[in-house]
Amino acid sequence: MKFKTNNCVIERLQPHHYKDIHTLYSNTQVRTYLGGVPDDSYIEASFKGMVEAPFPNTYFYITLRTTGEFIGLVSIDEYHDKDLYELSYQFLPQYWGRGLAFEVLTEVIEEGMNCLNIPSIVAETQTANKASCLLLEKLGMQKVQVLERFGHEQAVYELRKNKEISRQIIALSGGGFSQHFPSFIDDYILRQCKSNERLNICFIPTASNDAQGYIDRFYSAFQHCEATHILQNDMRDKNIRERILAQHIIYVGGGNTSFLLEKWRQYCFDDVLKEAYQNGVILAGISAGAMCWFEKCFSENKDNIYEECDGLGILPGAFCPHYEDDERKQAFNNWKESQPTLPTYTLIDTETLHFKDEKLVAKIQTY
């Protein structure tokens, strides 16, 4: 068994690979979250077990495609006391941070699920190993359990074969917690999340310049959830991607659309939200927080003058909330005439649109 990625060669572990595996297991950086460097007898016994492991337990020896240098070991083998198979990996430190682990693991998962006919794969890593947790999330694995093992807190991730991720955006013109409590449309948003866990919901108040009163209303409305919020300063945080990908729902508040987009792009936060969307995190928002997902935005700038700006482009076309307002309606209609091929959606404040996989599936009366 031997296959290639853009940069690597992946092959079945062979007896003559022992020296490289010994080097890998003896590296203190590699073994930081794996119980430390074992003695030689343990390495030798482990290697023998890997080479002789029965199918479908598989151990992959990884080299660079251009130079043949050994870079790491990846395996799919039986998981602790469960009828599951585990993805494990160790890479030499000099090859970290180059995207090689993601490239290799993507291919190994594909191989494991298809060729080895394994319906699901789990991976377990210490919660302290943030880089490993982020890698597993990037691979599309979902955290399913946190437990104590080997004297440390461990996170268990799982990826199931043919698991379809539904991409959803719920675009509100009005209503929601900022205007009504309890709110029908907020309950509707929560019901779209198919999870047995307490829901993680995150409020992004950028468009209101992080207005504290707005944030307070959010927490009052969602106190039955695991609620959090992200301020503009938080977008600089190195763990911001991890925080966003851990959410079930992102809820974006209203305010100034161009200001929101400017700040998000300044911190590359727009890319984080796009990745979350692709990973099945539900995106919801009201007014500016609804316009931002579309290809084009037409709204007031800081001087209260209507102007066009580029949205995130997740959804085609443009969205106009508060269409019952005569001034806004006239300005949007005039602008629309210069955009004859652009799909447009115009909503009054009692209406909400629900998109799945970039297709409109429902228009909802919110109150």
Side-chain angles (χ1 to χ4, degrees), residues 166-170 192 277 281-283 354-357:
S166 177
R167 303 181 301 276
Q168 300 188 67
I169 291 178
I170 301 173
Q192 304 316 306
Y277 173 72
V281 178
I282 296 172
L283 304 181
H354 186 179
F355 294 84
K356 285 188 178 181
D357 301 327

Side-chain angles (χ1 to χ4, degrees), residues 68-257:
E69 298 167 72
F70 170 71
I71 67 169
L73 175 72
V74 176
S75 65
I76 296 177
D77 56 8
E78 291 174 301
Y79 185 53
H80 307 281
D81 66 10
K82 285 187 177 181
D83 188 23
L84 293 170
Y85 285 86
E86 180 180 15
L87 175 72
S88 301
Y89 46 89
Q90 300 174 58
F91 288 84
L92 289 169
Q94 59 266 39
Y95 302 101
W96 294 354
R98 294 164 54 176
L100 297 174
F102 176 77
E103 179 180 311
V104 169
L105 293 175
T106 299
E107 192 67 30
V108 169
I109 289 171
E110 180 79 12
E111 184 73 14
M113 289 192 163
N114 293 331
C115 298
L116 301 181
N117 197 30
I118 295 173
S120 69
I121 292 177
V122 298
E124 185 173 318
T125 186
Q126 286 189 31
T127 54
N129 190 350
K130 302 298 185 185
S132 184
C133 291
L134 287 173
L135 174 60
L136 295 174
E137 290 165 3
K138 186 177 179 182
L139 289 165
M141 303 188 81
Q142 302 291 319
K143 188 191 296 184
V144 294
Q145 189 179 10
V146 175
L147 50 81
E148 190 82 14
R149 204 195 304 274
F150 311 124
H152 296 280
E153 186 181 74
Q154 310 279 345
V156 180
Y157 290 81
E158 183 175 16
L159 182 68
R160 290 189 173 276
K161 188 174 183 178
N162 296 328
K163 181 180 179 182
E164 294 185 5
I165 296 176
S166 177
R167 303 181 301 276
Q168 300 188 67
I169 291 178
I170 301 173
L172 291 71
S173 175
F177 70 89
S178 61
Q179 297 176 8
H180 301 276
F181 183 73
S183 163
F184 164 79
I185 193 60
D186 288 344
D187 289 340
Y188 177 87
I189 291 168
L190 295 177
R191 290 199 304 271
Q192 304 316 306
C193 189
K194 311 302 182 186
S195 174
N196 295 323
E197 306 173 25
R198 185 174 165 93
L199 295 183
N200 297 333
I201 183 168
C202 180
F203 182 49
I204 314 293
T206 314
S208 66
N209 202 15
D210 297 341
Q212 187 59 50
Y214 207 176
I215 297 168
D216 294 341
R217 290 198 299 275
F218 166 76
Y219 280 104
S220 295
F222 294 100
Q223 54 188 299
H224 56 300
C225 300
E226 290 294 335
T228 187
H229 69 284
I230 300 292
L231 301 177
Q232 294 162 52
N233 286 337
D234 298 327
M235 296 174 191
R236 298 188 180 98
D237 191 289
K238 64 180 181 180
N239 295 321
I240 190 63
R241 177 178 173 274
E242 179 183 5
R243 290 177 63 185
I244 291 297
L245 291 179
Q247 303 304 313
H248 294 104
I249 300 167
I250 300 295
Y251 202 134
V252 181
N256 189 299
T257 312

Side-chain angles (χ1 to χ4, degrees), residues 306-360:
Y306 286 92
E307 67 178 10
E308 174 188 323
C309 63
D310 291 331
L312 298 192
I314 297 174
L315 296 173
F319 175 90
C320 178
H322 321 307
Y323 196 63
E324 70 274 22
D325 179 83
D326 289 337
E327 180 183 353
R328 181 182 298 273
K329 181 177 182 178
Q330 187 62 49
F332 187 82
N333 288 346
N334 290 341
W335 172 77
K336 182 181 175 181
E337 289 179 3
S338 66
Q339 312 280 336
T341 62
L342 188 73
T344 56
Y345 304 89
T346 56
L347 269 66
I348 61 174
D349 278 356
T350 59
E351 297 173 328
T352 291
L353 299 180
H354 186 179
F355 294 84
K356 285 188 178 181
D357 301 327
E358 300 81 60
K359 295 180 180 179
L360 180 62

Side-chain angles (χ1 to χ4, degrees), residues 18-28 30-31 34 36-39 42-44 46-47 50 59 70 73 75 90 92:
Y18 175 74
K19 182 178 178 181
D20 287 330
I21 300 303
H22 188 281
T23 299
L24 183 71
Y25 272 68
S26 301
N27 189 288
T28 55
V30 172
R31 302 294 300 181
L34 297 172
V37 175
D39 58 34
Y42 177 92
I43 298 174
E44 186 173 349
S46 296
F47 181 79
M50 289 187 280
Y59 295 82
F70 170 71
L73 175 72
S75 65
Q90 300 174 58
L92 289 169

